Amino acid sequence: MQDTSAPSHELPTSFFFVTCQRGAESAVKWEMSQLRPEWHFAFSRPGFLTFKLPPGAELAENTSLPLVFARAFGVCWGKIKAPTLAEGKVALAKELKGEAFERLHVWNRDLLPAGDFRYEPRRSEEAMEVERTLLLQEDGEEPTLTIKQPDSTATLGDRVLDVILVEPDEWWYGCHRMTGAHLPWPGGLSGMPLPAHAVARTYLKMAQALEWSKLPIKEGQWCAELGSSPGGASQALLDRGLSVIGIDPAEMAPEVLNHPQFVWLQKRSTQVRKRDLRKIRWLMADMNVAPSYTLDAVEGILESSQVRLRGILITIKLPDWKLIEEVPGYLERVRSWGFPKVSAKQLQFNRQEFTVTAFRNPGPPAQSRYQRKRRSKRGRRTA
Ligand SMILES: C[S@@+](CC[C@H](N)C(=O)[O-])C[C@H]1O[C@@H](n2cnc3c(N)ncnc32)[C@H](O)[C@@H]1O
C-alpha cells in the first residue's frame, strides 16, 4: 500500500508509455486519439509505444485512462543503456535520484504476436533476472534504489517503478500509481502456470479474467458458457466450485464432460431453451463469431424473464483490427443492459479479442412473464 508518511515527489515528464499485445499498436493509437487527442504519438516498437503531451504540459503519476488494449501504462521518464545488469542498475539508480517506490515492475515487450508459434506473452528470463538484480540492495551500495515491497503484485495507490526491456540492453523506465484501470502484475503479465490437468490454454484465459474482474462469484452457483468446447474455461470454473452448463455443438474433452458438476448442451447458442438456463447466475461467452453475434446471444439470454443473471464475462473477438472503432459502441450496448459497472481489457491470455465483464448487485426476485401479465391486468381493472 501507499506509504503516506513519506510522500515521494514526482519527477517531471511529458511522456506517457503503453505496452500492449504485438499487433494491437494501431488499436492503442486509436484509443489514445479518442481519449487524449492533444497528445502526440512519439515512438514505438512492436508492443511498446510512447506519447508526448503538448509543450509545457506535465504528466501526473496517477494518470489513469480506460485503455482496453493497454496491458500497462504510465509516465515515461526515459531510457538507459544496460550493456550488463550491473551497469544498468547503476545507470537507473542515478537517473532516479533516490526516489522511493512501493513496487518494482520489470517486463519485456512481447517477443511475438500472441499465438504465433504458440507464443504466450510472458515475462522473459531476462526480465526476471533484471528484477532480481534491482531488488537486491547490498549494504553500502550506492546509488540506492528504494523498493519497499519485494512482492510485485500492486495494490491500489501503490507507486510502482516500471522498467521495460524494450531491448535486452535498452531499458525504458517510468512509473504509475496503481488505479483500477491498471493490471496489478508487471506489464499486466501474471506468472500463473497452466495446471497439468488443463485440457486447453483457455483455462488460463478464464482463470486470469476471473482474478482481474473480481466478479463476486460464489462456490455452488451455476453459470453457463456459450462456446465451451473443448473445455479449458469450463474447467477453470469447475475448479472454483461452480456448476457449469457448457453450450457448444463441438465436442467437449472427456475430463470436462465427466465432471459431476458439468452439463453439456450440444447446441448452438441460438438453439438453447431459456428454461434450461433458469439456474444460472453468471453467463460466460467465448464463441469464434463476430462481435454482434456474441452480443445478440448474450442479450437474448439476459432479456428472458426465466433467467436472473448477476453478471457476465464475455470474450469479444476482433477478426479485423478495423473493428476497434466499434468497441465503444459494444461497451455502450453492455451498459444498456443495466449493468452499473462494465470493464473491458485485452488480457495477457487474450488473442485478437478482449474480455468484458459486468455485474450488478442482487435485486428483488425477477417476475416471470406470467406474473407481469397478471399484475398489468389487475392494474387495468383498478384504473
Ligand atoms: C475459442 S473456442 C471456445 C474455447 C472454450 N471456451 C474453452 O475454454 O475451451 C470457440 C468455440 O465457439 C464455438 N461456437 C461457435 N459458434 C457457436 C454458437 N453459435 N453457439 C455455441 N458455440 C459456438 C465453436 O464450436 C468453438 O468450440
Side-chain angles (χ1 to χ4, degrees):
M1 285 295 287
Q2 190 180 339
D3 177 1
T4 45
S5 61
S8 298
H9 62 279
E10 297 199 0
L11 295 172
T13 183
S14 55
F15 285 92
F16 180 74
F17 80 81
V18 175
T19 57
C20 64
Q21 188 183 91
R22 268 174 97 136
E25 300 84 6
S26 58
V28 170
K29 281 186 195 168
W30 184 82
E31 288 192 288
M32 288 296 294
S33 73
Q34 302 302 298
L35 292 166
R36 289 291 181 272
E38 67 283 16
W39 297 7
H40 292 290
F41 161 66
F43 172 81
S44 80
R45 301 283 297 127
F48 175 80
L49 305 97
T50 65
F51 296 85
K52 188 171 174 14
L53 273 67
E58 263 183 30
L59 192 58
E61 286 180 8
N62 62 0
T63 300
S64 182
L65 297 176
L67 291 159
V68 177
F69 292 89
R71 286 204 302 245
F73 61 85
V75 304
C76 185
W77 285 323
K79 63 175 173 177
I80 51 135
K81 271 281 159 203
T84 64
L85 285 179
E87 286 169 290
K89 185 178 182 183
V90 170
L92 185 66
K94 267 191 193 155
E95 293 293 332
L96 293 174
K97 302 183 182 78
E99 291 279 319
F101 303 88
E102 273 82 36
R103 312 271 174 186
L104 170 67
H105 282 183
V106 182
W107 72 101
N108 47 289
R109 66 185 171 91
D110 284 6
L111 306 174
L112 288 172
D116 273 20
F117 304 100
R118 297 179 168 248
Y119 175 72
E120 295 290 351
R122 285 217 182 256
R123 292 206 293 157
S124 64
E125 262 315 309
E126 279 139 340
M128 309 281 215
E129 209 183 338
V130 172
E131 179 188 82
R132 284 192 290 273
T133 307
L134 296 181
L135 283 175
L136 191 74
Q137 194 67 43
E138 308 274 8
D139 277 351
E141 189 179 341
E142 289 288 343
T144 54
L145 197 59
T146 309
I147 310 290
K148 295 176 196 161
Q149 311 275 348
D151 171 15
S152 62
T153 303
T155 52
L156 286 183
D158 281 350
R159 188 183 197 216
V160 182
L161 170 61
D162 295 308
V163 179
I164 307 139
L165 278 58
V166 172
E167 302 298 338
D169 62 349
E170 182 183 304
W171 306 351
W172 288 66
Y173 63 100
C175 154
H176 69 272
R177 292 266 177 194
M178 173 74 187
T179 69
H182 289 97
L183 295 170
W185 317 287
L189 304 166
S190 90
M192 196 181 267
L194 184 66
H197 70 287
V199 298
R201 59 171 291 284
T202 45
Y203 185 104
L204 287 177
K205 188 160 95 172
M206 176 56 76
Q208 187 177 52
L210 290 171
E211 199 175 326
W212 160 70
S213 66
K214 301 203 166 47
L215 290 178
I217 288 179
K218 292 199 196 88
E219 268 184 41
Q221 288 182 321
W222 278 88
C223 65
E225 192 193 12
L226 309 175
S228 56
S229 161
S234 290
Q235 256 188 324
L237 293 161
L238 291 164
D239 284 355
R240 279 151 189 79
L242 281 124
S243 299
V244 181
I245 300 175
I247 298 158
D248 200 312
E251 293 292 326
M252 297 299 303
E255 296 90 323
V256 182
L257 205 51
N258 296 331
H259 193 290
Q261 294 311 117
F262 183 80
V263 176
W264 181 31
L265 301 180
Q266 189 175 17
K267 293 177 177 179
R268 295 198 169 278
S269 53
T270 43
Q271 298 164 330
V272 175
R273 292 176 310 191
K274 304 299 183 303
R275 67 166 184 267
D276 291 338
L277 301 178
R278 265 198 293 246
K279 288 185 283 191
I280 67 165
R281 293 294 168 266
W282 303 96
L283 180 64
M284 284 63 182
D286 183 19
M287 296 182 283
N288 44 7
V289 293
S292 56
Y293 189 105
T294 295
L295 293 169
D296 288 350
V298 172
E299 189 172 85
I301 294 171
L302 270 162
E303 275 182 346
S304 163
S305 57
Q306 303 191 53
V307 184
R308 264 193 303 138
L309 282 181
R310 276 211 65 192
I312 60 170
L313 192 166
I314 61 179
T315 302
I316 296 194
K317 312 268 177 192
L318 291 181
D320 187 331
W321 280 115
K322 285 195 194 114
L323 288 171
I324 176 68
E325 298 190 15
E326 309 297 327
V327 170
Y330 303 150
L331 300 181
E332 205 37 59
R333 187 165 170 197
V334 175
R335 267 181 222 110
S336 77
W337 297 335
F339 290 116
K341 188 164 165 38
V342 176
S343 307
K345 201 77 176 162
Q346 184 171 54
L347 295 167
Q348 173 182 6
F349 300 112
N350 278 134
R351 294 279 162 87
Q352 198 167 317
E353 60 192 18
F354 63 101
T355 303
V356 179
T357 64
F359 75 98
R360 54 182 158 232
N361 291 323
Q367 293 174 345
S368 69
R369 205 171 283 164
Y370 171 71
Q371 284 170 321
R372 277 207 298 265
K373 258 192 198 157
R374 269 173 63 104
R375 183 166 279 199
S376 70
K377 260 190 195 161
R378 240 186 282 143
R380 275 205 299 274
R381 245 184 270 137
T382 51

